[in-house]
Each structure stands twice: as structure tokens, then as C-alpha cells.
Amino acid sequence: MNAQYLVRLDDACETMNRHKWGLIERLLDQLAIKPIVAVVPDNQDPSLVFGEHDSLFWEKVRAWAAKGWTIAMHGHTHVMQPTNSKLLVPYYARSEFAGLALDHQADKIRAAWQKFQTEGVVPDVWVAPAHSFDEVTLEALGKETSIRVVSDGIAFSPYYEHGFHWIPQQLWNPVRRTSGLWTICLHPNGMSDSEISAFGNTMTSGFGDKITSFNQVRLSSHGKTLVGCIYHQYFWWRWRNRPKAAA
């Protein structure tokens, strides 16, 4: 198939940078792009405090859902600890969940899920903070929620693994591809106004007709394709051999 792109926005929370999120929302509305929005239900991470607590935050989340944006559960508190657990997407040695016992992970996921239910929002997708989670996380997620889709993983197209549908997330800025499904993950809190504007300009110069939405993605009931497996191996080889920052 010709290349298609999803847009994902991470770290929406009650203390997010409302100015930056307002800019990106207006831009995506102008471009008729319906992203996945990763919402932290009970943020306690100081690095995500960009302003005072927004009492209208959940009203905004409900408005996003009402206009067709897909809401994802982005962990529970977004507070992470070092871990040596075997991660399913091994970018970083830190996690909010990985390495914790099933009961502990289930408690956190239950609390996160309950917050969404209390606010009248039903998330369709799981997005782990820092991509970091293990098989126990998915067991707890399956036990405590109706979520059966993960936005993460490295592949060429959607696949099925560990009892969940996976929509791969491989990009952090627009990169032209000839085929496959590519999720572009943005962090609006940390983007400058000019970066947001540049993203919009890129989207209008050849990407517009290739943007899709979560509701249009055909989920797979099979594992990774051969091409997906090859790309997976290549991606992680490049990650392991990336230049290390100077000390």
C-alpha cells in the first residue's frame, strides 16, 4: 500500500502548556487531521508542569473526543523509576510500570481507567510513558480495561502480539516513505511556535492526502509481516549503534 501517516500527540494533562496545545489544535483542525491524543489521567510528573492546574482540562478532552480525536490512556501518573525489566519496546531503562508486580500494575491501571470513566471518556488506545512497559503491563491492561490496542512498537504495518493489536509508532517528525503505516509522535509541550508552524507547512506540502486516523486503520489479527520483522531488526540495530553523546 502507499504510505499512510497517523499523528499522535503525547503528554496532554491538567498542567500542559495550553498555549502550545491551542496552536497545535487549531493547526490540526485547519488540516482536518484527527490525531491520537495520549492523556495522562493523574499527572504527578514535575517535568509536565507548564502552568497552573486547568480546571477545564477534562472538558477539553471530551471536546477532542466529540470531534473525532482518538483518546489514549498515557499511563497513570507519568512518574517513572529505573528498571531492569525486559521491556517490550526497549528505548529507555525507566518505566512507570515495567518490573512491578501484577497486582501493583493492575492497581495503577485500574485507577487510571477509573479517572477516565469518572470524566465520561473511554480511551481506545494504550500509550506507555517513555514507551516502557512489559508483558505484565498488558496482562493488567487486559484485566482492568477494555483497551485492546497499543500505539507503539516498530514494524511496517499494524500487527497482533501478546493479545493486543499494535499500531506501530516509528517517527517523531514527518519523513517521506513509499509504503507502510507510520505514526508521527509529537510532544506539543516542548515544541516552539516555529516548530509547530513548520510541522503544519510540511503537512500541507505532500502529506495531506496521506494522513489517516485511528478509526480508518485496519487492525491486524496476525503477527508482523516479513518486511515488518526486517524493519524491526534494522531499526533496533540502528538504535543500538547510534552515536553516543559526548560526556
Side-chain angles (χ1 to χ4, degrees):
M1 67 175 180
N2 293 329
Q4 290 188 307
Y5 299 85
L6 277 168
V7 174
R8 195 181 93 190
L9 309 178
D10 277 15
D11 299 335
C13 64
E14 292 165 317
T15 55
M16 66 190 187
N17 188 318
R18 282 179 274 174
H19 168 70
K20 301 297 176 60
W21 278 84
L23 288 180
I24 201 79
E25 180 171 2
R26 288 191 291 275
L27 174 63
L28 296 185
D29 284 348
Q30 291 169 6
L31 299 174
I33 294 174
K34 299 183 185 300
I36 296 172
V37 186
V39 175
V40 183
D42 182 21
N43 178 57
Q44 296 178 28
D45 183 349
S47 73
L48 296 185
V49 176
F50 294 89
E52 294 182 359
H53 182 278
D54 183 4
S55 62
L56 299 178
F57 173 72
W58 286 98
E59 183 176 316
K60 186 182 300 292
V61 176
R62 289 188 288 270
W64 290 337
K67 66 182 179 182
W69 290 22
T70 297
I71 307 303
M73 189 163 82
H74 193 31
H76 177 216
T77 66
H78 207 275
V79 175
M80 289 170 275
Q81 302 295 332
T83 182
N84 293 317
S85 179
K86 183 178 180 181
L87 302 173
L88 295 176
V89 187
Y91 284 106
Y92 311 110
R94 63 181 187 270
S95 178
E96 182 181 353
F97 296 90
L100 300 178
L102 174 60
D103 287 350
H104 193 172
Q105 295 206 41
D107 287 345
K108 292 175 64 64
I109 287 173
R110 187 184 312 115
W113 182 254
Q114 184 58 52
K115 178 61 175 178
F116 280 100
Q117 304 311 298
T118 299
E119 296 295 344
V121 180
V122 180
D124 295 307
V125 178
W126 167 253
V127 174
H131 309 268
S132 297
F133 60 110
D134 55 19
E135 291 187 40
V136 176
T137 313
L138 294 183
E139 184 178 353
L141 196 65
K143 175 182 176 183
E144 300 294 339
T145 80
S146 63
I147 295 173
R148 295 297 181 270
V149 179
V150 173
S151 170
D152 219 325
I154 303 302
F156 205 68
S157 58
Y159 60 98
Y160 188 80
E161 193 171 81
H162 302 297
F164 282 77
H165 300 280
W166 294 61
I167 297 175
Q169 191 275 297
Q170 323 94 319
L171 300 175
W172 288 264
N173 52 71
V175 178
R176 296 188 186 279
R177 303 297 194 204
T178 57
S179 59
L181 178 67
W182 305 86
T183 301
I184 305 168
C185 178
L186 304 178
H187 294 79
N189 290 316
M191 297 176 73
S192 67
D193 291 10
S194 60
E195 286 173 333
I196 292 173
S197 178
F199 174 76
N201 291 337
T202 301
M203 287 292 97
T204 57
S205 61
F207 281 86
D209 61 341
K210 297 178 175 62
I211 300 295
T212 189
S213 66
F214 171 76
N215 290 331
Q216 295 174 310
V217 172
R218 181 177 296 180
L219 299 176
S220 174
S221 58
H222 303 286
K224 293 175 184 175
T225 64
L226 177 59
V227 173
C229 290
I230 293 171
Y231 177 68
H232 172 98
Q233 295 296 329
Y234 170 71
F235 181 96
W236 290 113
W237 175 81
R238 287 189 61 190
W239 175 259
R240 289 190 298 270
N241 292 280
R242 70 193 186 282
K244 300 298 190 293

